[in-house]
Amino acid sequence: MKKLLLVGPKDSGKMTIANFLEGREESPLKKVASIVYHQKTIIVPDSYLESPWMHKHIIALQQSATSILFLQPVTAKRRSYPPNFAKVFRIPIYGLVTYHQAYTANALQQAQDQLMACGLKKVDLILDLSSENDKKKIQQLF
């Protein structure tokens, strides 16, 4: 079964995307402080990304996933991903910039730069988390 690894800082939309992909929008998944395996997704808590000693656990999760989504919210002010972090993974990685409402061009550029600094070659999608049509675009990536 294909599993998608969801990685991102606080407020990046991991739970919103997981609920959509799992078909759990009516009875949403609960946010917990540990790695959670679901039928189609594996959710990595933001605390794992913020703690350098937990990065090895995120890297090890690629054994259970077929691809990874690196999420970056336009609202994030500080860098969450270590430099060139994406280069240690052997499965496909997709970069998504997420937002809930309008954003400035400057904020969008900063979010894209943060994803590129972690080793991604491009940003694959700019996603409005409040739009059902935008969420459907995630499924088109795979």
Side-chain angles (χ1 to χ4, degrees), residues 15-29 129 131-132 135-136:
M15 293 306 292
T16 302
I17 292 170
N19 283 322
F20 174 75
L21 293 173
E22 297 287 345
R24 298 286 303 263
E25 292 170 314
E26 298 298 319
S27 58
L29 303 168
L129 294 170
S131 166
E132 290 302 314
K135 288 183 217 171
K136 290 176 185 173

Side-chain angles (χ1 to χ4, degrees), residues 3 14 16 29 43 53 55 60 66 85-86 88 102 107 110 116 123 136 138:
K3 286 201 189 281
K14 293 184 300 285
T16 302
L29 303 168
I43 304 170
W53 54 89
H55 293 167
T66 54
F85 186 54
V88 301
Q110 180 179 334
M116 301 305 269
V123 173
K136 290 176 185 173
I138 296 170

